[in-house]
């Protein structure tokens, strides 16, 4: 029962950072083995310089990240929604880490692929300034759909549950405290289920 928290916010003073800490605390309280990975602390080039044409050697921090993903039974992605998607830092991490041969592999001569991350579940926790209803109805949540369906489900990770906290710019201190408590409660609940 390993939980991996991936914090995709580049600012260590962010609400996402606080949410990552609260999720970590909640999961640890019920005895889960938890790793907290702040992408901002990793040393790697965020661009897949040659696309998939040539293999780009992984930096040691990305080798470690792949190891943590393989060991995890549940992965939590925490990030802000900017321009209706995720920060470049998180996108670069995904491009460099969720590689063919690690996360999936196309079958030769086929449109189908093998999903190498089956058996894992995930949760997406996002913050945004856009009201949740506007994001869902008008923008159709492109950043969340991209991560959930286009990446995690594509690699075999299911189920993927989502929590969105918004609008951040309007939130008073008491509301932020409620959000942090909710994240901690989600962590306790998920970690308890994983123990069964």
């Amino acid at each position: 029962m390993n939980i991996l928290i991936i914090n995709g916010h580049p600012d260590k003073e962010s609400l996402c950072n606080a949410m990552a800490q609260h999720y970590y605390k909640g999961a640890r309280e019920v005895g889960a083995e938890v790793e907290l990975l702040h992408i901002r602390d990793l040393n790697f080039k965020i661009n897949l310089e040659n696309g998939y044409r040539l293999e780009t050697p992984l930096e040691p921090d990305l080798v470690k990240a792949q190891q943590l993903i393989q060991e995890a039974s549940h992965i939590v992605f925490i990030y802000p929604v900017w321009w209706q998607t995720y920060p470049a830092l998180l996108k670069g991490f995904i491009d460099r880490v969720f590689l063919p041969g690690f996360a999936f592999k196309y079958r030769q001569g086929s449109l189908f692929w093998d999903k190498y991350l089956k058996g894992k579940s995930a949760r997406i926790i996002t913050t945004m300034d856009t009201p949740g209803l506007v994001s869902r109805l008008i923008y159709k949540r492109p950043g969340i759909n991209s991560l959930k369906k286009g990446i995690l489900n594509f690699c075999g990770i299911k189920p993927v549950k989502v929590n969105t906290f918004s609008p951040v710019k309007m939130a008073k201190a008491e509301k932020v405290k409620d959000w942090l408590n909710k994240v901690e409660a989600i962590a306790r609940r998920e970690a308890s289920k994983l123990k069964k």
Side-chain angles (χ1 to χ4, degrees), residues 34-178:
V34 190
E35 291 281 348
L36 176 50
L37 186 67
H38 298 287
I39 299 176
R40 67 171 182 265
D41 293 338
L42 306 183
N43 184 15
F44 70 102
K45 293 180 183 177
I46 69 169
N47 289 323
L48 196 59
E49 293 174 346
N50 300 301
Y52 296 104
R53 183 176 55 83
L54 297 173
E55 185 177 328
T56 303
L58 291 177
E59 295 87 346
D61 283 349
L62 296 188
V63 172
K64 177 66 173 173
Q66 285 188 338
Q67 180 185 345
L68 291 173
I69 290 167
Q70 283 179 323
E71 292 171 355
S73 53
H74 185 66
I75 306 171
V76 181
F77 289 84
I78 301 178
Y79 62 92
V81 172
W82 292 346
W83 294 108
Q84 294 305 313
T85 188
Y86 26 75
L89 183 65
L90 177 55
K91 178 61 165 65
F93 175 83
I94 291 166
D95 285 350
R96 295 292 317 282
V97 169
F98 284 71
L99 294 169
F102 169 73
F104 70 97
K105 186 174 182 181
Y106 285 112
R107 297 174 190 166
Q108 192 167 1
S110 173
L111 295 174
F112 297 99
W113 65 98
D114 294 314
K115 302 175 180 185
Y116 286 174
L117 299 180
K118 284 183 177 179
K120 302 177 188 301
S121 59
R123 179 167 297 274
I124 297 171
I125 296 174
T126 66
T127 60
M128 67 176 90
D129 287 332
T130 304
L133 199 57
V134 172
S135 175
R136 183 182 293 272
L137 296 179
I138 295 176
Y139 297 114
K140 308 296 185 192
R141 304 192 321 169
I144 291 169
N145 288 331
S146 168
L147 182 57
K148 178 179 179 176
K149 297 176 183 177
I151 299 165
L152 301 179
N153 290 169
F154 182 89
C155 297
I157 300 175
K158 287 183 179 182
V160 179
K161 298 187 178 175
V162 179
N163 293 93
T164 299
F165 297 90
S166 68
V168 172
K169 65 182 175 183
M170 307 286 288
K172 294 186 169 35
E174 197 60 36
K175 172 59 80 175
V176 170
K177 184 179 177 184
D178 287 346

